[in-house]
Amino acid sequence: MDAAVVPATHSLNDNDSDNSLLMNVNRQIGDKSQRTSTELSPSSRQSERETEPPPHAAQQHKHQSPKFNLNSTLNRRQQSWVDPLEPRIQDTFYLRNKNLDTLRPRYSFLLRRPGNVNSVFLDGSDRQQSAESFFRDGTNANSESPRSSRTASWELDESKIQSEHSKFGTFKGVISRCMLNIFGVIMFLRMGFMVGECGILLSMLIVLLCASVTFITALSMCAIATNGRIEGGGLYYMISRSLGPAFGGTVGLLFGVGNAVAASMYLIGFAEVILKLTGNVFGDDKLMDIRIWSTIALLAEFILTLLGGLKLVMRSSLVLLAFITAVIFLIFVGSIYQIDESKGIIGFERGFSSGNFVDNLYSDFQEFQGVQYDFWLVLGIFFPAVTGIMAGANISSQLKNPGQSIPKGTLTAIGITTVIYIALVIVLGTIVTRKYLIADELILQSISVYEPLFLGGVFAATLSAAMTSLTSAPSILKAVIDDNIVPVLSGCCGGNNNERKMMIISVLIVFCCNLFGSLNMIAPLLTDFYLIAYGVINLSCFLSSMSKSPGWRPGFKYFNKYLALFGAVECVIFMILSGWLYAIMALFIAFLLYQYIAYIDPDVDWGKVSESRQYYDAFTAVLKLDKGVNFTPNQSQFHVKHWRPGFLVLCGDPLHRPHLIHFANTLSKSHSPTFFASICTDLVLHRTNVCKFQQLHYGNYLPRRLLNTGKKGFFDAVFAASFREGASMLMQCVGLGALRPNTLVLGYRHNWRLDMKLSNEYIEVIRDALEMGYAVIILRNFSYIHWKSVTCDQSQLAAPHRLSDDANSSDVCIELADKQQTNAGQQKHESVLGALKRMFLSQKDTLELRNQSLVELKSEAVAAMNGPFIDVWWLIDDGGLTVLLPYLMKLHRFWRDCRLRLNIIANSNAVSQEYLNVYHLMKEFRLPYDEPNLIEVDEGRQNPTPETMRRFHQLTDHGIDFQRDVIRPKVIKRWLKVSELVHQHSKHSQVIVLNLPLPTTFYKGDDRKDAKDESQKKYKQSMNGKVYFAILEMLTENLPPVMLIRGNGESALTFYSE
């Protein structure tokens, strides 16, 4: 609601004709700036006196609009064409986590008045310094200086132009890198094994299935990569900034470990080649030789990495790709004429004529090295041969045009490698017999035109890929550590030199994997790591599309969300079928990591896709609650059997009154919206401060971390001219559609006698709430409950000391005045019996306590035997809310040990009828109350005792004459009688639930003709407030926590099913 249209209730000048809140606020700001000026030096005050305008000029200034500071904070290049005060469209979007107030000056910065915007939130010298700097140079002292803000992020210097020219194109940046990562040890050492085991047809199917996974993943990856800039971390950065820290951290850790496993696979492949050439060198055990050679290669790779060997690999990537391409080309050339029957190579002509092609067309799974292989095991071994598609996306920030280069380059690399793989399958199946395909790991060397060149290609492919993986693993793990989303790792691996720590960890992982000593054992494990990563990429693309967020605008359009979902499911299926043991282990580890990161809930703001989807689902769900029916003002949108109480809790600052938050959380079993709110009546606030005002009030959500509670809730803060106007704003505007509160929760105003004007405003809020169809709940003494306990027990209730009549404490926020909240936590836990005895010492003399000692001991014994009670005094038919809320309280574990006791007051001549009526109602409503406690009141004892009347007159300052001043004396006396009965029957209860008296007019006063109408009206209002608060005081003082409830008349209970 615009504050400018709210009528002001506190006018600074009674003669002003303008009653708008904005003008009052501006005048108040001007007064504050004048008070600030009095704190300046004597010389400054003297100069101000000399230049001070005449009084009539100052009076005229109050009715003028605010003046503006027309000195722009923008330089000429930043100014808009249409208005030099406005910024032109520039590249400030690239400035992350920067204060853009001077680059995009807001309307509030144009105002001359020093009391506006940030300065109203400063104190003392800071406010003065901010005001002086605002008048001096048109800027705020706490904001960044315009000179520093003008540092040219938009001005391209020579170095930036040169960096633009040094960026990569499609071929060098994407195609070459992807192909260099895809062509690897599996192609050179396991292609013949796959054809020998599966045959030509199934081998081609394996290639196509693996290519389908990478193709679908590439489409999803292109969509994600072209939806924003990808920075350090590659795949981890892509997933974490899309699906959040839980998914991102899990995939980042697994993918980092997977890169280390990939380095081990390449080194084991290198060792197999060395072993094939040299034979057993370190003993007769082939496995031990592979372990030793791979460890020696790891040590050499580690030393080269420390010396900067990766830079050499990156700079010579095109040379390496050309070399490997030449090796593959020589294999195809050699297949045309190479014939060596001793190695099973029979050539094309004989391969077709002898039937070798037909024999190798179908599968013949055999046992190899003690393992019986099938289709899915072979697929798990071959799958690492198609990985490497992330190479281009990982350096998207270094590409000239990522939106075009990543899709074209990645898909082109997948297409080229897939065609080459299928061609090699056909060639091997045609010219080589099955026996040698399985037994000879270097069969491609025998086919090649020049065998030494082939070995050079194998060494170049394995060692360069191993170095790339060995350096990629620490960088990915370092990105996860730097984001501090896994505190366990951040504690031991973070800090200085964490990159070296990650390198050492990666080397240890590679060494442990080298101990397997078998390429066929490492490849399936690596397959699971890659399939998890690819599956999450597809899932991320699907969820991003389903989020329907305006921020999902990928430059790559040729993707489909359902195809991405199919790709994610396909990855999971391949994991399970290719090796269920490895799959279960990998998924279990991933699940534990995900649950751990989700549990600690890292404090990061990356814009998770799930939040966008939750927003969309919540929005559509609220719209679905609209039945399209015209409702009457007091009619609920829900059937009475589905009615829920929604709460609007005026708690002020939650950190100052946490007991209201905790109590509202115990009503969470109603599963209805609960809104917490604060009202600020500081007139210094200007309407342009709404944004910062909301930021200072926890961003519309309950600060549950500061309150040490796991419950979530909504929090709204408004500023208004008065508490009543603020409450009216909240009751009208809080909520969305059917998710609106219907019950107002207030704290009891203890020091109501200090300022009857504010106390009358408190009563008016209750009346406004009832008139708007709200139910009202007033809480007293709930701050004395030990809320951190698991359950509520009598020993956990601290004694509520009665506030003295001359208390001088003031309300920080008018709806609550519990000044002893901070001291309640320091008090020792006392029994209710002892606490109540001390409370009554001020009202009863020692003799009366001695006479009643036996009664007290008996009451204590009964209370201890029966257990804690929630005493409900249902006196008025308010729709059933008074008996429903205690039931909802009992559903929470904090109140579950309490018993529900219903107290009914009836005349002596209608006791049995009243008892049966209430008893059957509770049975029909299915509420777990004990048998009703019917309290009989004789006709001769319906008036309160003289002691009660004396206390009432004491609270009203002896200004009430029941015969002359009171409109409904009988009603007042009945409520005072109720207070006696409550003190008599419920003083040992855990909580007392009681109907709230209706805030009608009680005082009519003496119509004195010599009094002014306005003063007489104020006097009547004050006395009426005293009468009402005296009734509330009598009902709640010196008692356990009391909850006064007044329903809105709408039925909250029913025993009908239609």
Side-chain angles (χ1 to χ4, degrees):
M1 179 182 292
D2 194 347
V5 300
V6 179
T9 58
H10 300 287
S11 177
L12 301 177
N13 191 336
D14 295 336
N15 297 325
D16 291 342
S17 60
D18 186 2
N19 292 325
S20 68
L21 175 60
L22 178 59
M23 293 303 298
N24 288 331
V25 168
N26 289 334
R27 291 195 293 271
Q28 185 74 2
I29 292 175
D31 294 341
K32 279 194 170 288
S33 64
Q34 293 176 8
R35 289 196 298 269
T36 303
S37 65
T38 60
E39 301 174 0
L40 301 176
S41 61
S43 59
S44 300
R45 290 196 295 267
Q46 180 65 27
S47 61
E48 288 181 2
R49 294 191 193 100
E50 295 175 358
T51 59
E52 185 176 3
H56 66 276
Q59 182 69 18
Q60 183 179 3
H61 175 71
K62 290 184 178 181
H63 296 276
Q64 295 176 354
S65 298
K67 294 185 179 297
F68 294 91
N69 176 25
L70 301 180
N71 296 324
S72 177
T73 60
L74 307 172
N75 61 27
R76 187 175 296 275
R77 292 195 60 183
Q78 300 170 349
Q79 295 174 357
S80 170
W81 170 81
V82 66
D83 188 346
L85 295 179
E86 303 283 354
R88 72 174 180 86
I89 299 175
Q90 49 196 342
D91 58 355
T92 51
F93 295 95
Y94 292 97
L95 300 177
R96 300 177 59 185
N97 302 324
K98 297 293 184 181
N99 186 1
L100 300 179
D101 289 335
T102 54
L103 298 178
R104 297 173 181 167
R106 300 180 183 178
Y107 174 82
S108 57
F109 274 82
L110 303 179
L111 299 179
R112 279 188 179 275
R113 297 185 182 276
N116 290 340
V117 199
N118 297 331
S119 60
V120 299
F121 295 95
L122 304 177
D123 295 325
S125 60
D126 293 337
R127 187 190 300 270
Q128 179 177 339
Q129 180 182 1
S130 177
E132 292 175 353
S133 63
F134 198 102
F135 281 112
R136 182 174 61 251
D137 53 13
T139 59
N140 193 292
N142 294 329
S143 62
E144 296 181 1
S145 64
R147 192 175 301 275
S148 63
S149 299
R150 292 169 188 165
T151 301
S153 65
W154 51 86
E155 296 175 1
L156 299 176
D157 54 9
E158 184 178 357
S159 60
K160 188 171 182 179
I161 296 176
Q162 291 179 356
S163 64
E164 290 290 337
H165 287 290
S166 64
K167 289 189 174 182
F168 301 114
T170 302
F171 180 78
K172 186 176 181 180
V174 183
I175 296 178
S176 63
R177 294 174 183 270
C178 289
M179 292 183 64
L180 190 61
N181 281 270
I182 292 174
F183 289 138
V185 65
I186 298 296
M187 181 190 69
F188 291 116
L189 301 183
R190 290 297 182 269
M191 183 67 74
F193 171 79
M194 180 183 68
V195 177
E197 290 282 354
C198 297
I200 297 175
L201 293 180
L202 290 184
S203 297
M204 294 173 62
L205 180 61
I206 288 176
V207 173
L208 292 176
L209 286 176
C210 294
S212 69
V213 173
T214 56
F215 176 76
I216 296 174
T217 305
L219 295 179
S220 301
M221 179 199 65
C222 292
I224 298 174
T226 57
N227 192 56
R229 179 176 297 180
I230 299 177
E231 298 183 1
L235 175 66
Y236 160 70
Y237 186 90
M238 187 184 302
I239 299 301
S240 62
R241 270 56 176 181
S242 179
L243 294 183
F247 271 109
T250 302
V251 174
L253 292 175
L254 292 179
F255 199 63
V257 175
N259 273 266
V261 176
S264 174
M265 183 189 70
Y266 295 128
L267 294 178
I268 291 176
F270 170 79
E272 285 187 0
V273 177
I274 295 296
L275 184 64
K276 193 74 173 180
L277 296 176
T278 61
N280 294 340
V281 177
F282 303 102
D284 296 334
D285 190 356
K286 178 181 177 181
L287 187 62
M288 183 59 66
D289 275 27
I290 293 177
R291 293 170 179 169
I292 295 175
W293 281 116
S294 60
T295 303
I296 293 174
L298 172 62
L299 182 60
E301 291 273 330
F302 179 62
I303 295 174
L304 290 175
T305 302
L306 295 179
L307 296 177
L310 180 63
K311 295 181 180 179
L312 179 62
V313 174
M314 297 298 292
R315 291 173 182 173
S316 60
S317 60
L318 291 179
V319 177
L320 288 174
L321 179 62
F323 186 65
I324 295 175
T325 303
V327 171
I328 297 174
F329 176 74
L330 293 178
I331 292 175
F332 284 107
V333 173
S335 66
I336 298 175
Y337 66 90
Q338 288 282 10
I339 297 177
D340 188 354
E341 294 186 1
S342 63
K343 297 181 179 180
I345 303 174
I346 60 177
F348 270 107
E349 182 178 354
R350 188 176 174 186
F352 285 106
S353 61
S354 64
N356 186 66
F357 175 79
V358 177
D359 292 340
N360 291 338
L361 196 61
Y362 303 102
S363 63
D364 184 12
F365 295 106
Q366 302 176 13
E367 184 177 341
F368 181 73
Q369 296 180 350
V371 179
Q372 179 63 43
Y373 287 92
D374 56 16
F375 176 81
W376 295 107
L377 287 179
V378 176
L379 184 145
I381 294 174
F382 177 77
F383 187 81
V386 299
T387 59
I389 60 175
M390 299 292 301
N394 288 341
I395 59 168
S396 63
S397 60
Q398 303 178 30
L399 300 176
K400 293 181 180 179
N401 191 348
Q404 294 183 2
S405 297
I406 293 177
K408 290 182 180 179
T410 305
L411 297 177
T412 301
I414 293 174
I416 293 174
T417 54
T418 302
V419 171
I420 292 175
Y421 285 163
I422 291 177
L424 283 176
V425 168
I426 296 174
V427 168
L428 290 174
T430 303
I431 68 174
V432 184
T433 59
R434 188 184 298 271
K435 176 183 177 181
Y436 289 95
L437 285 173
I438 298 175
D440 191 358
E441 298 168 350
L442 295 177
I443 190 63
L444 290 178
Q445 177 188 3
S446 302
I447 299 175
S448 178
V449 174
Y450 188 59
E451 294 186 2
L453 187 64
F454 174 84
L455 293 176
V458 173
F459 292 152
T462 54
L463 294 179
S464 64
M467 184 173 293
T468 303
S469 299
L470 189 61
T471 54
S472 297
S475 64
I476 296 174
L477 295 176
K478 178 179 179 297
V480 178
I481 299 300
D482 290 343
D483 286 336
N484 196 26
I485 62 175
V486 187
V488 174
L489 296 180
S490 301
C492 60
C493 302
N496 298 329
N497 299 324
N498 59 346
E499 189 170 0
R500 292 185 179 180
K501 297 177 183 178
M502 292 297 101
M503 174 62 73
I504 295 174
I505 292 176
S506 301
V507 171
L508 292 177
I509 294 174
V510 175
F511 173 75
C512 294
C513 293
N514 286 346
L515 298 180
F516 284 94
S518 174
L519 194 65
N520 290 3
M521 293 182 65
I522 291 295
L525 180 62
L526 182 60
T527 296
D528 288 339
F529 284 116
Y530 276 114
L531 285 174
I532 289 177
Y534 291 169
V536 174
I537 290 176
N538 288 307
L539 181 64
S540 176
C541 179
F542 171 74
L543 294 178
S544 297
S545 301
M546 293 297 294
S547 68
K548 302 185 184 300
S549 171
W552 175 246
R553 303 184 304 273
F556 180 72
K557 303 297 183 183
Y558 302 100
F559 72 96
N560 184 273
K561 57 185 178 183
Y562 297 109
L563 186 62
L565 178 62
F566 173 77
V569 175
E570 187 181 22
C571 290
V572 176
I573 294 175
F574 282 8
M575 282 182 62
I576 297 175
L577 295 179
S578 62
W580 64 269
L581 183 59
Y582 282 159
I584 291 177
M585 292 176 57
L587 291 175
F588 180 71
I589 294 173
F591 176 77
L592 290 181
L593 288 174
Y594 176 84
Q595 291 296 329
Y596 170 70
I597 300 175
Y599 173 76
I600 62 177
D601 192 16
D603 188 13
V604 294
D605 186 14
W606 294 337
K608 296 184 291 186
V609 172
S610 58
E611 294 177 351
S612 179
R613 182 63 192 184
Q614 290 169 0
Y615 178 92
Y616 175 78
D617 291 339
F619 172 71
T620 54
V622 172
L623 290 180
K624 290 179 181 178
L625 294 176
D626 181 16
K627 299 179 180 180
V629 181
N630 294 327
F631 293 94
T632 59
N634 292 326
Q635 182 180 359
S636 173
Q637 293 194 21
F638 297 99
H639 191 276
V640 60
K641 64 182 180 182
H642 300 304
W643 185 88
R644 302 170 186 264
F647 304 99
L648 173 59
V649 185
L650 300 187
C651 61
D653 191 339
L655 301 182
H656 296 164
R657 299 167 183 85
H659 58 281
L660 288 179
I661 311 296
H662 293 305
F663 170 74
N665 288 335
T666 61
L667 298 174
S668 60
K669 293 302 181 180
S670 63
H671 302 291
S672 55
T674 300
F675 299 88
F676 302 92
S678 174
I679 302 171
C680 183
T681 57
D682 189 357
L683 289 180
V684 176
L685 293 173
H686 191 268
R687 66 176 178 180
T688 55
N689 294 117
V690 174
C691 182
K692 188 158 188 175
F693 180 78
Q694 295 290 349
Q695 293 177 1
L696 294 177
H697 287 80
Y698 314 111
N700 298 114
Y701 283 96
L702 193 67
R704 52 194 178 96
R705 292 191 176 184
L706 298 177
L707 292 168
N708 294 323
T709 177
K711 296 294 184 181
K712 298 181 180 180
F714 302 102
F715 185 82
D716 281 309
V718 298
F719 64 83
S722 65
F723 170 64
R724 182 184 181 186
E725 287 189 8
S728 178
M729 292 179 188
L730 291 170
M731 287 187 287
Q732 293 179 67
C733 301
V734 166
L736 181 66
L739 300 181
R740 296 180 59 85
N742 51 31
T743 304
L744 180 67
V745 181
L746 297 165
Y748 183 74
R749 180 171 169 79
H750 289 279
N751 49 0
W752 54 272
R753 303 178 67 183
L754 295 181
D755 191 340
M756 286 308 301
K757 182 178 180 181
L758 296 179
S759 299
N760 288 326
E761 192 174 0
Y762 182 92
I763 298 174
E764 291 300 325
V765 169
I766 299 175
R767 292 172 177 169
D768 292 343
L770 295 175
E771 187 175 354
M772 293 181 183
Y774 275 73
V776 178
I777 299 176
I778 298 179
L779 305 177
R780 183 172 186 180
N781 296 333
F782 275 81
S783 60
Y784 303 106
I785 296 178
H786 187 55
W787 292 104
K788 293 185 179 180
S789 301
V790 178
T791 58
C792 182
D793 187 77
Q794 283 187 329
S795 62
Q796 298 166 356
L797 184 63
H801 298 283
R802 184 172 63 87
L803 296 178
S804 60
D805 296 335
D806 57 349
N808 55 6
S809 59
S810 59
D811 288 336
V812 178
C813 187
I814 190 170
E815 70 271 23
L816 292 175
D818 196 352
K819 299 298 293 182
Q820 301 197 357
Q821 166 64 22
T822 57
N823 297 328
Q826 302 174 358
Q827 295 178 353
K828 295 181 179 179
H829 303 315
E830 303 172 353
S831 65
V832 175
L833 179 62
L836 292 174
K837 287 181 178 180
R838 284 191 296 274
M839 286 189 294
F840 282 101
L841 280 174
S842 59
Q843 298 181 10
K844 300 180 180 180
D845 53 24
T846 308
L847 181 60
E848 291 178 344
L849 286 176
R850 289 176 180 175
N851 295 333
Q852 296 179 1
S853 59
L854 295 176
V855 178
E856 294 286 347
L857 291 175
K858 182 179 179 181
S859 300
E860 180 184 6
V862 173
M865 179 179 62
N866 295 334
F869 280 104
I870 297 179
D871 259 355
V872 181
W873 294 77
W874 194 20
L875 309 178
I876 299 170
D877 182 8
D878 58 351
L881 184 63
T882 304
V883 292
L884 177 62
L885 281 183
Y887 164 73
L888 297 177
M889 291 170 58
K890 186 176 172 56
L891 294 179
H892 194 274
R893 65 176 183 176
F894 188 82
W895 305 104
R896 64 186 174 189
D897 294 335
C898 296
R899 298 171 59 184
L900 299 181
R901 182 169 61 184
L902 188 62
N903 298 296
I904 303 297
I905 302 176
N907 294 327
S908 57
N909 56 359
V911 171
S912 59
Q913 182 64 31
E914 196 74 23
Y915 178 86
L916 293 176
N917 186 22
V918 175
Y919 177 79
H920 288 297
L921 273 179
M922 292 299 104
K923 291 296 183 181
E924 292 285 354
F925 288 146
R926 306 172 304 281
L927 295 175
Y929 280 85
D930 294 348
E931 292 187 2
N933 179 27
L934 198 60
I935 300 173
E936 180 181 352
V937 178
D938 296 335
E939 293 186 1
R941 298 182 179 180
Q942 293 183 357
N943 291 327
T945 61
E947 291 81 2
T948 302
M949 294 302 300
R950 283 197 296 269
R951 176 59 179 163
F952 176 79
H953 286 297
Q954 180 184 3
L955 291 174
T956 56
D957 297 329
H958 302 280
I960 299 296
D961 186 341
F962 271 81
Q963 302 297 329
R964 183 190 63 189
D965 301 331
V966 177
I967 295 178
R968 300 194 301 165
K970 184 177 180 180
V971 174
I972 297 176
K973 291 181 179 180
R974 289 289 176 89
W975 280 113
L976 296 180
K977 183 63 177 180
V978 170
S979 69
E980 293 179 358
L981 298 176
V982 171
H983 281 79
Q984 179 181 352
H985 294 275
S986 299
K987 59 183 176 181
H988 297 292
S989 300
Q990 197 71 17
V991 176
I992 300 174
V993 181
L994 182 66
N995 283 118
L996 174 69
L998 198 65
T1000 58
T1001 301
F1002 294 100
Y1003 184 81
K1004 63 180 179 180
D1006 183 14
D1007 296 332
R1008 294 171 296 175
K1009 297 182 180 180
D1010 57 341
K1012 294 183 179 179
D1013 294 339
E1014 187 66 24
S1015 61
Q1016 178 68 11
K1017 180 179 179 182
K1018 291 182 179 180
Y1019 179 79
K1020 286 184 177 181
Q1021 187 179 21
S1022 175
M1023 293 305 298
N1024 186 75
K1026 287 184 179 181
V1027 172
Y1028 187 70
F1029 264 107
I1031 296 173
L1032 299 185
E1033 190 75 18
M1034 297 289 290
L1035 289 172
T1036 59
E1037 67 176 349
N1038 303 326
L1039 286 173
V1042 181
M1043 181 165 57
L1044 300 174
I1045 299 179
R1046 165 66 63 170
N1048 60 359
E1050 181 181 349
S1051 295
L1053 295 170
T1054 184
F1055 42 79
Y1056 295 107
S1057 58
E1058 62 178 12

